[in-house]
Amino acid sequence: MNAYSRITHASVHLPTGRQSACEIEQRLRRHSPSLALPPGLIQRAFGLRERALADPADLPSDLAARAATRLLNTARLRPADIDLLLFAAVSADVREPANAHIVAAKTGLSCPAFDIGNACNGVINALQVADALIRTGQHRRVLITCGETLSRLSRWELDRSRLRTGLTSLTGADVGAALLVEASPVPGITGSVFLANSTSWPAATLYDPPSRPRPAPGPPRRLRRTPGLLHRTGRPGSPVAQGTGRGRPRTRPRLRPSAVPALRGRLPRPHGHRPRADHPDLPPHGERRRRDPAPPTRSSSPRPPPRPPATPSPCSASRVEPAAR
């Protein structure tokens, strides 16, 4: 049994299209005229001279399948020789099913396949997974594929507040890559250590889809109370309390204080809850307010006279006096 894994082959598919850093800046100035960009900013900040552009008809799976096919031909392997296919990329054809199945179908593989998504670190994590599966003896050959069309995620409409995070989206390129990891008797991948500082996630963001500007995702924002419903701050007209179409709604709206007197006595409360301190005029939870008896209705016919009280009979006495001696 081989106790190690190593990278035996690598292949890259690079599209023929190119876009220089100067062309990127010119297009950004056309779409964001309020920005005063100095010439050569992208090259000085990122060291980028040009980026590769895929054909508009190409999908991420196409770029990954071409790189994988080239690797199999270089390694003189058949599709049946691969035990597992991993797809690790930021770009994707679809959300369901896994894009690894699309790459496998285009490459002619019939092995198990699944995706690994961790943004720019996806390929590194795929190497970690492949190394662990090979060391435990579950697989001997793992093919890692990647297909990126990051140029399509470029954000061209920016202002000064979004320039810091939006400028990085203009440096992504289109490329396909493949790595073959095999079992080996000698050390190849000796180990890996991963650290994360998740609090700095806003430093580089790509929205999906990029054409819909929206606030960055984060923790739930403060809720504000409006008549009848609860809305999120900054999103007027977007109630949180919405029905699911069947059964009870997901979130029950709070009642307006002005509507409480009108609904007095009509709100059943769940058993075991405490009384509400904000509405002391409501009955305690678990109890129901007694309804006042209905007032007597007036009738046109005269009421019958009351009956005289019945005279108790001597036999109906509850107590018998003893006879005098």
Side-chain angles (χ1 to χ4, degrees), residues 26 31 100 102 107 129 142 146 151 271:
Q26 291 176 359
H31 290 80
I102 305 177
T107 316
V129 173
V142 179
C146 174
S151 66
H271 180 69

Side-chain angles (χ1 to χ4, degrees), residues 159-194:
D159 52 24
R160 294 184 62 88
S161 62
R162 297 181 295 175
L163 181 62
R164 180 179 60 86
T165 58
L167 203 61
T168 57
S169 67
L170 305 179
T171 62
D174 305 338
V175 67
L179 297 172
L180 182 62
V181 184
E182 297 185 82
S184 172
V186 296
I189 302 177
T190 57
S192 58
V193 176
F194 292 90

Side-chain angles (χ1 to χ4, degrees), residues 128-141:
Q128 182 186 20
V129 173
D131 176 63
L133 294 176
I134 291 176
R135 286 175 181 266
T136 55
Q138 301 184 50
H139 299 291
R140 291 185 56 84
R141 289 191 181 96

Side-chain angles (χ1 to χ4, degrees), residues 3 28 32 40 62 76 104 120 155 157 169 177 184 198 202 221 226 240 248 266 307 312:
L28 180 60
S32 303
D62 296 326
R76 296 182 179 180
C120 298
R155 299 163 58 187
E157 298 180 359
S169 67
S184 172
S198 301
R221 290 173 290 176
T226 56
V240 177
R248 296 184 177 181
R266 304 180 186 178
R307 295 181 181 181

Side-chain angles (χ1 to χ4, degrees), residues 9-279:
H9 294 87
S11 178
V12 175
H13 171 73
L14 201 61
T16 58
R18 294 292 184 274
Q19 187 179 35
S20 64
C22 181
E23 295 174 348
I24 296 175
E25 293 178 358
Q26 291 176 359
R27 182 174 178 180
L28 180 60
R29 291 189 184 97
R30 291 195 303 267
H31 290 80
S32 303
S34 60
L35 295 178
L37 295 178
L41 174 62
I42 293 181
Q43 184 173 354
R44 292 197 307 268
F46 302 100
L48 178 68
R49 294 184 178 180
E50 64 178 13
R51 63 176 180 176
L53 298 182
D55 188 85
D58 286 340
L59 298 174
S61 62
D62 296 326
L63 305 180
R66 292 167 189 168
T69 303
R70 180 177 299 180
L71 185 144
L72 295 177
N73 296 333
T74 303
R76 296 182 179 180
L77 295 175
R78 300 172 302 170
D81 297 332
I82 304 299
D83 300 332
L84 176 66
L85 174 66
L86 302 179
F87 180 83
V90 176
S91 308
D93 293 15
V94 294
R95 295 183 180 274
E96 177 74 21
N99 292 266
H101 295 291
I102 305 177
V103 178
K106 293 180 178 180
T107 316
L109 275 66
S110 59
C111 60
F114 60 88
D115 292 353
I116 294 180
N118 191 18
C120 298
N121 298 324
V123 174
I124 300 177
N125 293 129
L127 286 172
Q128 182 186 20
V129 173
D131 176 63
L133 294 176
I134 291 176
R135 286 175 181 266
T136 55
Q138 301 184 50
H139 299 291
R140 291 185 56 84
R141 289 191 181 96
V142 179
L143 180 60
I144 301 174
T145 60
C146 174
E148 297 286 9
T149 54
L150 296 179
S151 66
R152 301 171 186 175
L153 299 180
S154 300
R155 299 163 58 187
W156 300 107
E157 298 180 359
L158 301 175
D159 52 24
R160 294 184 62 88
S161 62
R162 297 181 295 175
L163 181 62
R164 180 179 60 86
T165 58
L167 203 61
T168 57
S169 67
L170 305 179
T171 62
D174 305 338
V175 67
L179 297 172
L180 182 62
V181 184
E182 297 185 82
S184 172
V186 296
I189 302 177
T190 57
S192 58
V193 176
F194 292 90
L195 303 175
N197 181 13
S198 301
T199 58
S200 301
W201 68 265
T205 56
L206 288 177
Y207 300 108
D208 182 22
S211 58
R212 295 177 56 188
R214 56 186 178 185
R221 290 173 290 176
R222 182 176 59 86
L223 300 179
R224 61 182 176 87
R225 182 180 300 179
T226 56
L229 292 176
L230 290 178
H231 297 265
R232 293 189 183 275
T233 303
R235 293 184 183 178
S238 174
V240 177
Q242 296 179 351
T244 58
R246 55 183 179 180
R248 296 184 177 181
R250 296 177 181 175
T251 307
R252 291 186 178 182
R254 292 184 179 273
L255 294 174
R256 300 190 304 270
S258 60
V260 172
L263 299 178
R264 186 178 303 170
R266 304 180 186 178
L267 300 176
R269 301 295 176 183
H271 180 69
H273 285 219
R274 296 177 298 177
R276 294 184 57 176
D278 51 349
H279 299 299

